[in-house]
Every structure is written in C-alpha cells, then in structure tokens.
Amino acid sequence: MANETTIPLLPCRSLDDVAPFYQALGFEVTYRQERPNPYVTLRREDLHLHFFGMPQFDPADSYGSCLVVVDDLVDIHRAFADGMRSTYGKVLVSGVPRMTRPRPRRNQEGHFGFSIVDPGGNWIRFVGRATPPETDNRGGLARTLRNAVVQADSRGNPTQAARILDGALARPEAADNPAVHVEALVYRAELALQLDEPESARELVRQARSIPLDDGSRDALADTMRHAEDLLTALPPA
C-alpha cells in the first residue's frame, strides 16, 4: 500500500487555547465543533494536527507527543518564530506554550531538531530529514551540551540539564571550542528562563557576548546570538 496518512489526535483543555496558538504559527482551522465533543482540526501545508477538548485536563500532566520530519528545519523554525513575534511580540522560550531552537540531538543520531510545547502540554518534535552536518565534538563542554539538550529538550527536565551544564561550564578544558562555549552559555540562559531565574539568564547572555570569536565563528553563531536577543526580550524589565 502507499499514500497512507497518519494524523495525531492530541488532548487539550480548551480549543480556544490551542487554535489561536497554532494560527499564530501559520496553521488554519479546517474544522471545528463544540458538541457533542470539542474537536478542532488544523493544517499548515501538509502538516495536520487534530485536538480534542477535555475541560478537566491539566496540560502539566500531558504525555501527548508526535514527531514531524521536515526537509528544511531552519525555514519552518524561522516561520514559527516570526509568527510568535508578530502575535505575541516575542518568541515564547519558557513556560507553556514555548518553542526551543534547532540543535543537534544526540538521541536522534545527531539530527537537528526543535520542539514546540503547545498550550495543551503536547510536545510537537520537529526533526530535519537531511544528514546532519559535522559538529565540533572536541572537549568536555561539547559532550555535556549534547547531554543537556537530551535532558531538557527531549525529556523535559531543565533542572537536570542546568545541573550538568553548570558543572562543565565551571571546569573549562583547553580543547573546548569558544563557539561551543557561546552555544552552551546561551542554552544555559534559555534553561534559566525555564527555571524562572531571569537575572541568571541576563548574566549568561552577557557572558556569551563577551567570548572572543573569529569572523568565521561569529558568522556561524548568528542564529545563536539572535536567539540570545529573543531570550532578553522574554525577560521581565530589570
């Protein structure tokens, strides 16, 4: 057989929570009903997501998840980020809902991926189809950063991710690449926001900006530094 289609059905507390959020990301509502059971269908090009309402549902208890394999991970992440900026005035990087940024996933054979945690607490995990590029694996910080991404972005445990990353940042090695150091600091700032540590997040971004870089590394880290600016935008006023 061929041309099969699989569409995830995911829970939410209210259709009015999830529908506007996904519309901000460029989805359109293709069907909605309130009775006898709340149900909404959403589509963005070939990506379909369906949601059923459960008034007593707690998003914190959600185990809803699905995997979306895409050809151009960077483009779709950028489109989602632009939609968030347009609707919310910032990229949502902490709390529920939120979106992580593309990073290599050690538990997905190094493929780059990012996650959306929607208002229903569902994890929509986007993974790039392409063969992952070579990454700098020199030094303990690079290895620890990959482990931290698994803990927080895949398992939803930012506390453990922050703990192991703090250990590596406190014990630098000669083999650590300065670009990896910047990536680790910016990621730690993102974790600080998730852990409601705004002053730590602000200081970590300041440290990331102070790392000396050559022109090649600075260009390669353009998206990372833009993400750092998104983190600062999400912070409460100092």
Side-chain angles (χ1 to χ4, degrees):
M1 300 195 318
N3 299 318
E4 297 90 344
T5 299
T6 299
I7 300 174
L9 276 63
L10 300 167
C12 65
R13 182 158 48 200
S14 168
L15 305 185
D16 289 330
D17 291 337
V18 297
F21 171 75
Y22 281 101
Q23 286 175 300
L25 303 185
F27 286 75
E28 63 173 323
V29 175
T30 56
Y31 176 77
R32 177 168 176 159
Q33 71 174 37
E34 300 295 336
R35 294 181 177 81
N37 302 298
Y39 197 87
V40 65
T41 70
L42 296 151
R43 179 176 67 85
R44 185 185 189 277
E45 298 180 353
D46 292 329
L47 175 55
H48 298 259
L49 297 173
H50 292 194
F51 294 88
F52 56 93
M54 300 172 61
Q56 305 307 315
F57 180 74
D58 184 352
D61 295 333
S62 178
Y63 287 91
S65 184
C66 74
L67 190 65
V68 183
V69 182
V70 298
D71 289 329
D72 198 328
L73 191 77
V74 172
D75 275 359
I76 195 167
H77 181 272
R78 185 176 293 124
F80 289 164
D82 288 345
M84 287 183 177
R85 291 189 188 98
S86 177
T87 301
Y88 303 107
K90 61 184 179 180
V91 178
L92 305 178
V93 294
S94 63
V96 177
R98 67 180 182 274
M99 180 173 68
T100 65
R101 65 180 291 260
R103 298 185 179 92
R105 303 297 180 90
R106 183 178 61 81
N107 57 340
Q108 292 174 341
E109 299 181 341
H111 283 263
F112 276 67
F114 72 91
S115 297
I116 287 174
V117 183
D118 71 20
N122 304 292
W123 287 64
I124 315 299
R125 305 171 191 268
F126 290 81
V127 179
R129 194 188 311 275
T131 301
E134 292 292 329
T135 56
D136 190 336
N137 295 322
R138 294 174 296 167
L141 184 57
R143 293 189 296 272
T144 301
L145 178 58
R146 295 197 305 275
N147 290 333
V149 169
V150 172
Q151 290 296 329
D153 286 14
S154 294
R155 298 177 180 169
N157 189 345
T159 301
Q160 177 63 11
R163 184 178 297 119
I164 63 175
L165 200 50
D166 283 344
L169 287 168
R171 296 187 299 274
E173 298 180 4
D176 290 337
N177 187 318
V180 174
H181 194 184
V182 172
E183 288 278 7
L185 287 167
V186 172
Y187 187 49
R188 182 61 182 86
E190 181 179 320
L191 296 174
L193 268 180
Q194 293 184 34
L195 296 170
D196 196 23
E197 300 168 352
E199 292 309 312
S200 293
R202 190 174 281 109
E203 171 61 17
L204 287 156
V205 170
R206 187 199 65 77
Q207 292 178 30
R209 287 170 165 173
S210 72
I211 302 293
L213 298 170
D214 58 33
D215 290 343
S217 294
R218 193 173 294 106
D219 291 343
L221 289 168
D223 283 345
T224 300
M225 299 315 298
R226 186 181 188 190
H227 181 60
E229 295 303 317
D230 286 333
L231 296 178
L232 293 178
T233 301
L235 288 169

